[in-house]
Amino acid sequence: MLDTGAATGIRHRTRVRVYVLAAIFLLSFITIVDRVCISSAKAAMSQELGIGNLDFGAVFGAFALGYALFMVPSGWFADRYGPRLFLTAVVVIWSIFTITTGLVRTVMPLIVLRFLFGMAEAGAYPTATRAIYNWFPVRERGLALGLLNTGSRLGAAIGLFIMSLSVAHLGWRMSFWVLGVLGIAWAVFWYLWFRDNPATKSGINALELDYIRSGSPAHATADTPPPKATWSDFFGSRNFYLLLFQYFASNFTFFICFSWLLPYAQERYRLTPAEAGFYASIPLYCGAMATWLSGLAVDAIYKRGHWKLSRALPAACGFGLAAICLLFAGSLDSVLAFVVCFGIATFGVDLTLSPSWTASSDIGWHYTGTLSAAMNTMGSLGSFASSLAFPWLLKTTGTVEVYFYAAAIFNVIAILCWIGLRPDRPLIASHSE
């Protein structure tokens, strides 16, 4: 029941939205640990199941493909049924697939499971973004969405190291089983505690509720019915295409962290599994720092009255920094030099995440789940292309430099996308009048 606050003389607003963000941050962390566990387990799985590098490229790619295909339907379901019910369902489903991964004996069931796992995980970030849209005012969404992605980067960084130890001590099968149980536990908590509409959540007072609604149009808050929209509103918007391509570029560069970075570093620089896990985690810590800093920058610039600049400046700077570093990363012979260079590139592309997800809320409004899902679909296609291009180009050319050059070109084009993107122009034309 809503605590009115003002009627009882309370002058301080509650901070329930902070606890909502903490729960979403934890989910983001768990989600990515689930995702990168297979990278930590690659060597052990390859040996036991007899899987070569090209076949493992298909395993990595199957996840990215399933993730891409179910992304937009997931966003639509999140907008239609709300984050409480839909996020509970998808977390339970992907946790079951995580547990089942620990049972595979051959490569084909593994590819199928990774595809289904990707389909289930597709709902995580669009639905979490919709929850943040419901619970946070515009002025705080940059940091909130930045921290959502910080959870993913820390989950990957810590997960690569912890899961490498887990695989070494518990075995890769038990590692997947433990992660599946953790996911189901989170889903039960979320369903019992979370509410889609802040006004229906116990413990929140009127002061916080008014604060959440502040700065948003009356028709763009969680407790008003959504206006009608058609796919022509999406496909007829220049913002739609610009937002999608720049996210493709971001994920094409970044996905190597979730797939080939650890095994590549281990093989090229002749590292032990523990050393490879340590070095592969460094770019992810850089990414975690970037998502947090870019979230702060987005909100700070926005509060100074610069809406477009608050999104475009951090993103353009990030893509520029990444493009420069990628030109050198593939030619470095020292593992430390390579990791530092690629870490700076990862820092750059992750500076673009908070602007990307915040812009999807700006442009999407009540259809934030659907738009962010479409954006993430293109990101997944970038991940899919990256997971296959990296081993193919390495085998074909004998060097990874071509891969990094291609990523650098994509990042330069992404800068141009941000120059043209207008976050103040929503998808639904009637709202822009």
Side-chain angles (χ1 to χ4, degrees), residues 230-241:
T230 65
W231 283 112
S232 63
D233 292 307
F234 289 80
F235 296 130
S237 168
R238 184 180 68 174
N239 278 337
F240 179 74
Y241 300 101

Side-chain angles (χ1 to χ4, degrees), residues 57 60-62 64-65 68 248-249 251-253 255-256 259-260 377-393 403 406 410:
F60 289 140
L65 184 59
F248 176 97
N251 276 15
F252 185 90
T253 301
F255 193 69
I256 186 179
S259 55
W260 287 106
T377 298
M378 280 298 290
S380 299
L381 292 176
S383 299
F384 179 68
S386 177
S387 66
L388 297 181
F390 187 87
W392 184 80
L393 290 172
Y403 168 85
F410 286 146

Side-chain angles (χ1 to χ4, degrees), residues 51-313:
I51 304 175
N53 279 348
L54 290 180
D55 285 338
F56 235 105
V59 172
F60 289 140
F63 167 85
L65 184 59
Y67 196 72
L69 290 177
F70 203 64
M71 187 66 63
V72 172
S74 292
W76 184 87
F77 280 122
D79 290 330
R80 177 65 177 83
Y81 296 106
R84 182 191 182 205
L85 178 62
F86 189 64
L87 200 52
T88 299
V90 297
V91 174
V92 169
I93 292 170
W94 90 54
S95 296
I96 292 172
F97 289 137
T98 300
I99 293 171
T100 308
T101 301
L103 302 174
V104 298
R105 299 291 177 182
T106 59
V107 66
M108 281 309 300
L110 180 60
I111 292 174
V112 172
L113 277 172
R114 291 303 291 181
F115 177 78
L116 295 174
F117 176 72
M119 289 181 64
E121 272 212 350
Y125 286 91
T127 311
T129 301
R130 180 57 200 253
I132 289 173
Y133 172 86
N134 287 359
W135 273 88
F136 282 81
V138 176
R139 67 175 68 90
E140 289 186 351
R141 286 180 193 160
L143 180 57
L145 289 163
L147 289 174
L148 167 65
N149 286 287
T150 300
S152 74
R153 296 323 186 231
L154 288 178
I158 297 173
L160 281 172
F161 180 70
I162 292 179
M163 295 317 299
S164 294
L165 296 178
S166 177
V167 169
H169 291 86
L170 299 178
W172 64 270
R173 296 183 186 276
M174 179 62 73
S175 298
F176 281 110
W177 296 340
V178 170
L179 289 175
V181 171
L182 287 175
I184 292 173
W186 185 93
V188 171
F189 163 78
W190 178 258
Y191 184 78
L192 294 176
W193 180 80
F194 181 74
R195 296 295 180 271
D196 292 329
N197 189 341
T200 63
K201 180 75 178 82
S202 62
I204 189 172
N205 65 17
L207 296 180
E208 183 176 17
L209 188 61
D210 290 342
Y211 181 75
I212 290 171
R213 292 168 172 166
S214 64
S216 298
H219 50 260
T221 58
D223 48 357
T224 56
K228 290 184 178 180
T230 65
W231 283 112
S232 63
D233 292 307
F234 289 80
F235 296 130
S237 168
R238 184 180 68 174
N239 278 337
F240 179 74
Y241 300 101
L242 296 176
L243 189 67
L244 265 57
F245 180 82
Q246 63 86 34
Y247 208 67
F248 176 97
S250 172
N251 276 15
F252 185 90
T253 301
F254 177 79
F255 193 69
I256 186 179
C257 293
F258 285 173
S259 55
W260 287 106
L261 183 60
L262 189 152
Y264 168 74
Q266 185 174 352
E267 292 176 15
R268 176 173 178 180
Y269 299 108
R270 299 177 182 177
L271 307 175
T272 67
E275 290 172 335
F278 170 75
Y279 281 114
S281 70
I282 292 175
L284 293 161
Y285 286 114
C286 295
M289 178 71 71
T291 56
W292 176 65
L293 289 176
S294 69
L296 289 174
V298 166
D299 287 346
I301 299 171
Y302 177 85
K303 290 172 183 177
R304 292 179 178 271
H306 305 291
W307 191 350
K308 175 179 168 59
L309 192 66
S310 69
R311 280 59 168 155
L313 183 60

